[in-house]
Amino acid sequence: VDIGAANRAEAMERGVRVGDRVIWNPPTRRMGDLVYGKALDDRVGLAIMDQLLDVLDRDRLAYDLTFVSTVQEEIGLIGAESAARQSGCEMAISLDIGLAGDVPGVDPRDVSARLGQGPTVVHKDLYNYNRDLTLALIRTAESAGIPVQPAVFGVYGSDSGAFTRHGLQAALVVVPTRYTHSPFEMLHLKDVEWTVQLLKRFLEDRA
Protein backbone atom coordinates (compact mmCIF):
# COMPACT_ATOMS: atom_id res chain seq x y z
CA VAL A 1 0.00 0.00 0.00
CA ASP A 2 1.61 3.26 -1.14
CA ILE A 3 0.68 6.32 0.95
CA GLY A 4 3.27 8.58 -0.64
CA ALA A 5 5.60 8.55 2.39
CA ALA A 6 9.32 8.81 1.68
CA ASN A 7 10.40 6.72 4.69
CA ARG A 8 9.22 4.82 7.78
CA ALA A 9 9.29 7.90 10.03
CA GLU A 10 7.05 9.88 7.67
CA ALA A 11 4.60 6.98 7.51
CA MET A 12 4.45 6.80 11.30
CA GLU A 13 3.91 10.58 11.52
CA ARG A 14 0.76 10.00 9.46
CA GLY A 15 -0.48 7.47 12.00
CA VAL A 16 0.35 4.34 10.03
CA ARG A 17 1.51 1.35 12.08
CA VAL A 18 2.34 -2.26 11.31
CA GLY A 19 -0.87 -4.28 11.54
CA ASP A 20 -3.21 -1.43 10.59
CA ARG A 21 -6.21 -2.53 8.58
CA VAL A 22 -6.71 -1.29 5.05
CA ILE A 23 -10.02 -0.61 3.31
CA TRP A 24 -10.03 -0.69 -0.48
CA ASN A 25 -11.75 2.57 -1.46
CA PRO A 26 -10.57 3.90 -4.82
CA PRO A 27 -12.01 7.38 -5.42
CA THR A 28 -9.56 9.81 -7.01
CA ARG A 29 -7.61 11.62 -4.31
CA ARG A 30 -4.64 13.93 -3.96
CA MET A 31 -1.74 13.58 -1.52
CA GLY A 32 0.56 16.56 -1.91
CA ASP A 33 1.76 16.47 -5.52
CA LEU A 34 0.58 12.87 -6.01
CA VAL A 35 -2.82 11.91 -7.40
CA TYR A 36 -4.18 8.37 -7.25
CA GLY A 37 -7.39 6.69 -8.32
CA LYS A 38 -9.00 4.54 -10.95
CA ALA A 39 -8.88 5.12 -14.70
CA LEU A 40 -6.04 7.61 -14.79
CA ASP A 41 -5.48 5.51 -17.91
CA ASP A 42 -6.44 7.53 -19.76
CA ARG A 43 -8.21 10.38 -18.02
CA VAL A 44 -4.82 12.03 -17.68
CA GLY A 45 -4.47 12.14 -21.47
CA LEU A 46 -7.79 13.96 -21.73
CA ALA A 47 -6.74 16.34 -18.95
CA ILE A 48 -3.52 17.16 -20.81
CA MET A 49 -5.41 17.89 -24.02
CA ASP A 50 -7.89 20.04 -22.10
CA GLN A 51 -5.08 22.07 -20.54
CA LEU A 52 -3.36 22.42 -23.91
CA LEU A 53 -6.50 23.88 -25.41
CA ASP A 54 -6.47 26.49 -22.64
CA VAL A 55 -2.83 27.52 -22.99
CA LEU A 56 -2.01 27.18 -26.70
CA ASP A 57 -1.62 30.40 -28.68
CA ARG A 58 -3.32 29.67 -31.99
CA ASP A 59 -1.39 32.47 -33.70
CA ARG A 60 1.89 30.73 -32.86
CA LEU A 61 0.98 27.19 -33.91
CA ALA A 62 3.58 25.65 -36.20
CA TYR A 63 1.16 22.95 -37.40
CA ASP A 64 -2.45 22.34 -38.27
CA LEU A 65 -3.61 20.67 -35.07
CA THR A 66 -6.27 18.04 -34.44
CA PHE A 67 -7.15 16.54 -31.06
CA VAL A 68 -8.49 12.98 -31.06
CA SER A 69 -9.77 10.81 -28.22
CA THR A 70 -9.86 7.12 -29.06
CA VAL A 71 -11.50 3.97 -27.71
CA GLN A 72 -10.61 0.27 -27.52
CA GLU A 73 -6.85 0.69 -27.51
CA GLU A 74 -6.40 -2.41 -25.37
CA ILE A 75 -8.23 -4.71 -27.80
CA GLY A 76 -6.59 -3.78 -31.08
CA LEU A 77 -6.13 0.01 -31.36
CA ILE A 78 -9.62 0.21 -32.87
CA GLY A 79 -10.19 3.93 -32.37
CA ALA A 80 -6.66 4.83 -33.40
CA GLU A 81 -7.05 2.83 -36.62
CA SER A 82 -10.05 4.98 -37.55
CA ALA A 83 -8.21 8.17 -36.66
CA ALA A 84 -5.15 7.15 -38.65
CA ARG A 85 -7.26 6.44 -41.73
CA GLN A 86 -9.46 9.52 -41.59
CA SER A 87 -7.47 12.35 -39.98
CA GLY A 88 -5.32 13.22 -43.00
CA CYS A 89 -2.42 13.97 -40.63
CA GLU A 90 1.24 13.48 -41.41
CA MET A 91 2.38 13.03 -37.82
CA ALA A 92 0.82 11.99 -34.52
CA ILE A 93 1.81 12.23 -30.87
CA SER A 94 -0.02 9.80 -28.60
CA LEU A 95 -0.60 10.62 -24.93
CA ASP A 96 -0.92 7.88 -22.33
CA ILE A 97 0.15 6.79 -18.91
CA GLY A 98 3.46 4.97 -18.78
CA LEU A 99 5.37 2.58 -16.61
CA ALA A 100 7.18 3.82 -13.49
CA GLY A 101 9.81 1.72 -11.80
CA ASP A 102 10.17 3.51 -8.45
CA VAL A 103 8.44 0.78 -6.47
CA PRO A 104 9.92 -2.17 -4.53
CA GLY A 105 11.00 -5.15 -6.58
CA VAL A 106 11.43 -3.37 -9.93
CA ASP A 107 14.91 -3.28 -11.46
CA PRO A 108 15.62 0.27 -12.74
CA ARG A 109 17.33 -1.33 -15.73
CA ASP A 110 13.94 -2.75 -16.72
CA VAL A 111 11.82 0.33 -15.97
CA SER A 112 13.85 3.49 -15.43
CA ALA A 113 11.15 6.20 -15.18
CA ARG A 114 10.40 7.81 -11.83
CA LEU A 115 7.48 9.89 -10.64
CA GLY A 116 8.20 13.61 -10.47
CA GLN A 117 11.11 13.45 -12.92
CA GLY A 118 9.26 14.58 -16.04
CA PRO A 119 7.27 12.93 -18.84
CA THR A 120 8.62 9.84 -20.56
CA VAL A 121 9.35 10.02 -24.28
CA VAL A 122 9.24 6.44 -25.56
CA HIS A 123 11.60 5.39 -28.34
CA LYS A 124 10.24 1.87 -28.72
CA ASP A 125 7.81 -0.59 -27.22
CA LEU A 126 5.99 -3.22 -29.28
CA TYR A 127 6.44 -0.70 -32.11
CA ASN A 128 9.32 1.46 -33.30
CA TYR A 129 8.39 5.15 -33.22
CA ASN A 130 9.63 7.81 -35.59
CA ARG A 131 13.16 8.70 -34.60
CA ASP A 132 13.16 12.26 -35.96
CA LEU A 133 9.91 13.20 -34.20
CA THR A 134 10.95 11.51 -30.97
CA LEU A 135 14.31 13.30 -30.90
CA ALA A 136 12.64 16.60 -31.80
CA LEU A 137 10.46 16.28 -28.70
CA ILE A 138 13.50 15.54 -26.54
CA ARG A 139 15.44 18.50 -28.00
CA THR A 140 12.46 20.75 -27.38
CA ALA A 141 12.36 19.67 -23.75
CA GLU A 142 16.09 20.20 -23.32
CA SER A 143 16.02 23.68 -24.85
CA ALA A 144 13.09 24.66 -22.62
CA GLY A 145 14.61 23.22 -19.45
CA ILE A 146 11.82 20.66 -19.13
CA PRO A 147 12.93 17.33 -17.62
CA VAL A 148 12.15 14.26 -19.72
CA GLN A 149 12.86 10.58 -19.28
CA PRO A 150 13.67 8.73 -22.53
CA ALA A 151 12.71 5.08 -22.34
CA VAL A 152 12.26 1.77 -24.11
CA PHE A 153 9.42 -0.46 -22.86
CA GLY A 154 9.67 -4.20 -23.32
CA VAL A 155 5.97 -5.04 -22.95
CA TYR A 156 3.81 -2.05 -23.82
CA GLY A 157 1.83 -0.61 -26.70
CA SER A 158 -0.04 2.55 -27.59
CA ASP A 159 -2.24 4.15 -30.21
CA SER A 160 0.90 5.31 -31.99
CA GLY A 161 1.30 1.73 -33.15
CA ALA A 162 -1.73 2.22 -35.41
CA PHE A 163 -0.43 5.56 -36.67
CA THR A 164 2.93 3.94 -37.44
CA ARG A 165 1.23 1.14 -39.41
CA HIS A 166 -0.55 3.75 -41.52
CA GLY A 167 2.67 5.52 -42.41
CA LEU A 168 2.40 8.53 -40.11
CA GLN A 169 5.37 9.90 -38.23
CA ALA A 170 4.35 8.80 -34.75
CA ALA A 171 5.72 9.48 -31.27
CA LEU A 172 4.62 8.58 -27.76
CA VAL A 173 4.70 10.80 -24.66
CA VAL A 174 3.54 9.28 -21.39
CA VAL A 175 3.10 10.38 -17.79
CA PRO A 176 4.95 7.96 -15.48
CA THR A 177 2.38 6.07 -13.42
CA ARG A 178 2.60 3.51 -10.64
CA TYR A 179 0.24 0.52 -10.37
CA THR A 180 -1.12 0.76 -13.92
CA HIS A 181 -4.34 -1.10 -14.71
CA SER A 182 -5.37 -1.00 -11.06
CA PRO A 183 -8.00 1.05 -9.16
CA PHE A 184 -5.26 3.12 -7.53
CA GLU A 185 -3.02 4.27 -10.35
CA MET A 186 -0.70 7.00 -9.07
CA LEU A 187 1.01 9.90 -10.82
CA HIS A 188 2.83 13.15 -9.99
CA LEU A 189 1.17 16.44 -10.93
CA LYS A 190 4.49 18.01 -11.97
CA ASP A 191 4.83 15.33 -14.66
CA VAL A 192 1.43 16.34 -16.02
CA GLU A 193 2.39 20.01 -15.94
CA TRP A 194 5.70 19.36 -17.68
CA THR A 195 3.93 17.30 -20.35
CA VAL A 196 1.64 20.23 -21.12
CA GLN A 197 4.62 22.61 -21.25
CA LEU A 198 6.56 20.28 -23.55
CA LEU A 199 3.71 19.89 -26.02
CA LYS A 200 2.91 23.60 -25.98
CA ARG A 201 6.52 24.49 -26.69
CA PHE A 202 6.80 21.89 -29.44
CA LEU A 203 3.57 22.90 -31.15
CA GLU A 204 4.26 26.63 -31.04
CA ASP A 205 8.00 27.03 -31.42
CA ARG A 206 9.43 24.25 -33.54
CA ALA A 207 10.66 25.51 -36.90
Side-chain angles (χ1 to χ4, degrees), residues 103-156:
V103 293
V106 176
D107 190 326
R109 293 172 296 182
D110 295 328
V111 183
S112 59
R114 299 289 185 265
L115 266 61
Q117 301 299 311
T120 302
V121 179
V122 181
H123 290 269
K124 181 188 182 303
D125 47 39
L126 296 176
Y127 295 90
N128 290 307
Y129 298 126
N130 183 269
R131 179 172 173 79
D132 290 340
L133 180 56
T134 299
L135 293 180
L137 286 163
I138 293 172
R139 286 194 300 269
T140 297
E142 291 173 345
S143 67
I146 300 168
V148 291
Q149 305 182 77
V152 172
F153 291 150
V155 180
Y156 191 91

Side-chain angles (χ1 to χ4, degrees), residues 28-155:
T28 301
R29 291 176 174 164
R30 178 173 178 174
M31 293 186 303
D33 288 330
L34 299 174
V35 170
Y36 67 94
K38 64 180 181 179
L40 296 184
D41 179 13
D42 206 19
R43 287 188 292 168
V44 67
L46 297 173
I48 289 168
M49 289 193 291
D50 189 58
Q51 289 185 49
L52 267 175
L53 286 168
D54 285 339
V55 301
L56 281 173
D57 183 345
R58 292 189 179 189
D59 294 331
R60 295 187 59 183
L61 283 177
Y63 307 92
D64 294 328
L65 180 61
T66 301
F67 285 82
V68 175
S69 176
T70 64
V71 297
Q72 297 181 311
E73 179 223 15
E74 301 286 353
I75 59 171
L77 312 179
I78 306 302
E81 283 284 339
S82 296
R85 287 195 304 268
Q86 299 178 26
S87 68
C89 294
E90 296 180 3
M91 64 175 62
I93 301 172
S94 291
L95 303 174
D96 210 327
I97 65 167
L99 306 177
D102 51 356
V103 293
V106 176
D107 190 326
R109 293 172 296 182
D110 295 328
V111 183
S112 59
R114 299 289 185 265
L115 266 61
Q117 301 299 311
T120 302
V121 179
V122 181
H123 290 269
K124 181 188 182 303
D125 47 39
L126 296 176
Y127 295 90
N128 290 307
Y129 298 126
N130 183 269
R131 179 172 173 79
D132 290 340
L133 180 56
T134 299
L135 293 180
L137 286 163
I138 293 172
R139 286 194 300 269
T140 297
E142 291 173 345
S143 67
I146 300 168
V148 291
Q149 305 182 77
V152 172
F153 291 150
V155 180

